[in-house]
Amino acid sequence: MAITHSSVVPFPIDDVFDWHRRPGAFSRLSPPWLPAHILRESDSLQDGQATLRLPGGLTWVSRHDPDGYLPRHQFIDEIASDTIASVPLNAVLPWRHTHQFSQVGASSTRITDRVETPVGSRTLRPMFVYRHRQLADDLAAHQWAKDFGLSSPLTIAVTGASGLVGSALCAFLTTGGHRVIRLVRRSADGPDERQWNPTAPDAWLLEGVDALVHLAGHSIAGRFSPAHKRAIRDSRIEPTRLLSELAAAATNGPKTLVTASAIGYYGANGGEKPLNEGSAQGDGFLAEVVADWEAATQPATQAGIRVVHVRTGIVQSPLGGTLRIFRPLFTLGVGGRTGDGRQWLSWIDLDDLTDIYHRALVDTAMAGPINAVAPHPVRNAEYAHTLAHVLKRPAVFPVPSLGPRLVLGAEGARELAEASQKVIPARLQQLNHRFRHAHLESSLRHQLGRFSR
């Protein structure tokens, strides 16, 4: 059986083909709802090989066919039949995927995917829709940067590169032609990694770097015990201060520092009034942590480095965060609102968050706190209803307040599950920033592959 999907993107064929050749393309095109983890990307569209880990201990080895490679116009990948790891899968799921590109007019490209496999079109169609939309949106974001005045690729150091946001951001940046240097705590592997000790970073760590994106930090999820709270603080404030001092002292170091931050700055209960970047600091543990976290970048600011604090809302991706928890519950039909459902939830699509970090690297008008949230916050009950609607399930099983308190403790439940913050992206709106998914339903359909016809 052969399945074909085609669409046109408004970009020249050279740009489209080059995007596919760069590191990170496979990651950017992999639908987040599929149970597959990329172990290794191919280093060549002509004769390279990629490896994915699937549930049940299965391995998918995808190999490019050199005979099917036509520069600028075609490449082919198929499941390897001569690799022991792929034998079980190849026996039941043969796969040959032809990627074709043809020029349409002066500056558009038709992309055609043709897959020979027993898998039905109903299963594969969402994957193709996701891939083509993701490609078009990523190309548009990179074109925006060029039009804005970015004349050459950047060298960008990133902490937390293996996390949810870091993985997406690094793949996005490398497909745009930028060089990403991952700052890792283990021994470095290759020229695009440098070993980073958060409590004692080497003096040369940031040499030759145009910008630093600092994402690393202990997860806030969990019971708010003294040890957990200490880990949250210790992983953020002192490492950020040390990196800021390092950036300030570097002779050939970053001119831009973009740090992760959080809307927890506004406190657990922000009331009904919309909160913008000028709103006052709220009360509570997380508000204090965020304030100290942002203040730790003062050495960089005082040295003339442009510093951006990305105050992030609730990230929407089935690979992490709340959607990773809620998706299986709602899929089973046992999801619903939390508590009375009136809490405001300020959310952001993962790909929009990636775009915001990208803009922070490029747009010199961005400095200080930036609310990384979609322009339309929703109440908790509306979130539950929308997720259930997208998954075509009911939302009739509310989670009583006692549940989060048993898991997170009273303070953790108040700061996380019961938090209510009606945050708006005022600064981004002033800059006329374009959101890929300004509305919740659009984001959930994209992240979960539930596209409406």
Side-chain angles (χ1 to χ4, degrees):
M1 179 188 298
I3 299 157
T4 301
H5 184 85
S6 180
S7 70
V8 175
V9 295
F11 300 96
I13 193 169
D14 287 345
D15 291 354
V16 175
F17 199 81
D18 285 345
W19 186 95
H20 282 83
R21 291 195 305 174
R22 295 184 183 122
F26 192 21
S27 176
R28 292 300 291 164
L29 293 176
S30 297
W33 65 84
L34 293 181
H37 176 69
I38 299 173
L39 299 178
R40 178 179 178 272
E41 279 196 326
S42 170
D43 56 6
S44 168
L45 296 182
Q46 181 173 1
D47 55 7
Q49 180 172 293
T51 306
L52 291 84
R53 185 176 63 227
L54 303 178
L58 294 174
T59 301
W60 180 304
V61 178
S62 177
R63 180 173 298 164
H64 291 291
D65 179 3
D67 293 334
Y69 181 72
L70 299 173
R72 298 175 68 246
H73 293 288
Q74 179 178 285
F75 65 92
I76 298 174
D77 60 78
E78 56 189 358
I79 189 166
S81 58
D82 59 346
T83 303
I84 294 178
S86 286
V87 168
L89 195 60
N90 189 49
V92 297
L93 186 65
W95 179 278
R96 183 176 173 84
H97 185 178
T98 302
H99 311 249
Q100 294 179 324
F101 308 87
S102 57
Q103 189 77 41
V104 179
S107 59
S108 293
T109 304
R110 177 171 292 280
I111 306 166
T112 302
D113 288 281
R114 186 176 187 274
V115 177
E116 298 167 60
T117 180
V119 179
S121 61
R122 184 172 182 178
T123 301
L124 291 181
R125 178 184 173 275
M127 180 185 76
F128 289 132
V129 173
Y130 175 88
R131 290 167 63 97
H132 287 213
R133 289 185 179 183
Q134 194 80 330
L135 170 64
D137 281 340
D138 278 14
L139 287 170
H142 292 307
Q143 185 60 50
W144 167 86
K146 294 177 183 177
D147 294 342
F148 195 82
L150 184 65
S151 58
S152 59
L154 301 172
T155 297
I156 304 159
V158 180
T159 72
S162 62
L164 174 67
V165 178
S167 296
L169 178 61
C170 290
F172 170 84
L173 291 172
T174 52
T175 55
H178 302 290
R179 182 189 178 196
V180 171
I181 298 176
R182 292 164 173 82
L183 304 185
V184 298
R185 302 183 193 188
R186 53 173 170 75
S187 297
D189 181 15
D192 290 333
E193 289 188 353
R194 294 179 185 176
Q195 188 172 26
W196 167 54
N197 183 344
T199 60
D202 290 322
W204 54 266
L205 185 69
L206 301 179
E207 289 296 323
V209 168
D210 296 312
L212 168 64
V213 177
H214 180 35
L215 302 170
H218 188 79
S219 173
I220 64 172
R223 193 174 187 85
F224 272 32
S225 63
H228 182 57
K229 292 166 68 175
R230 185 166 56 253
I232 291 173
R233 285 192 63 90
D234 291 350
S235 66
R236 285 168 170 77
I237 297 165
E238 186 64 7
T240 300
R241 183 183 66 80
L242 291 173
L243 283 174
S244 297
E245 291 177 347
L246 203 62
T251 55
N252 183 29
K255 303 297 186 292
T256 302
L257 168 59
V258 184
T259 67
S261 186
I263 60 172
Y265 175 87
Y266 303 110
N269 187 358
E272 294 296 308
K273 184 178 179 180
L275 301 166
N276 60 39
E277 289 85 351
S279 298
Q281 177 187 336
D283 299 323
F285 168 72
L286 290 180
E288 294 177 0
V289 169
V290 174
D292 292 343
W293 191 10
E294 293 183 357
T297 62
Q298 277 301 307
T301 302
Q302 292 169 357
I305 295 172
R306 181 173 63 88
V307 177
V308 183
H309 304 292
V310 182
R311 291 180 179 168
T312 309
I314 308 301
V315 181
Q316 298 304 298
S317 169
L319 298 175
T322 57
L323 187 55
R324 185 177 185 179
I325 298 171
F326 290 150
R327 179 194 175 195
L329 296 175
F330 278 77
T331 299
L332 292 172
V334 294
R337 59 177 169 78
T338 302
D340 64 9
R342 290 190 55 77
Q343 314 95 295
W344 282 104
L345 189 150
S346 298
W347 59 276
I348 183 72
D349 184 271
L350 176 60
D351 292 312
D352 274 317
L353 181 57
T354 298
D355 283 349
I356 292 168
Y357 273 98
H358 180 223
R359 180 163 194 150
L361 290 167
V362 173
D363 188 352
T364 57
M366 290 182 72
I370 299 291
N371 288 339
V373 294
H376 303 290
V378 297
R379 293 192 187 273
N380 178 274
E382 182 182 348
Y383 181 90
H385 172 78
T386 304
L387 178 56
H389 172 68
V390 168
L391 293 173
K392 297 183 178 180
R393 294 291 190 274
V396 294
F397 290 91
V399 178
S401 298
L402 178 61
R405 289 176 178 268
L406 289 174
V407 176
L408 302 171
E411 184 181 17
R414 183 172 61 253
E415 296 254 2
L416 297 176
E418 299 170 0
S420 180
Q421 298 145 328
K422 188 180 182 181
V423 183
I424 59 172
R427 188 73 185 99
L428 289 171
Q429 289 174 326
Q430 291 169 359
L431 295 171
N432 295 317
H433 182 77
R434 170 189 173 269
F435 287 86
R436 302 189 191 197
H437 304 286
H439 295 275
L440 180 63
E441 183 172 342
S442 170
S443 171
L444 294 177
R445 289 192 179 281
H446 179 72
Q447 292 293 335
L448 300 176
R450 299 299 183 109
F451 302 106
S452 56
R453 291 186 179 274

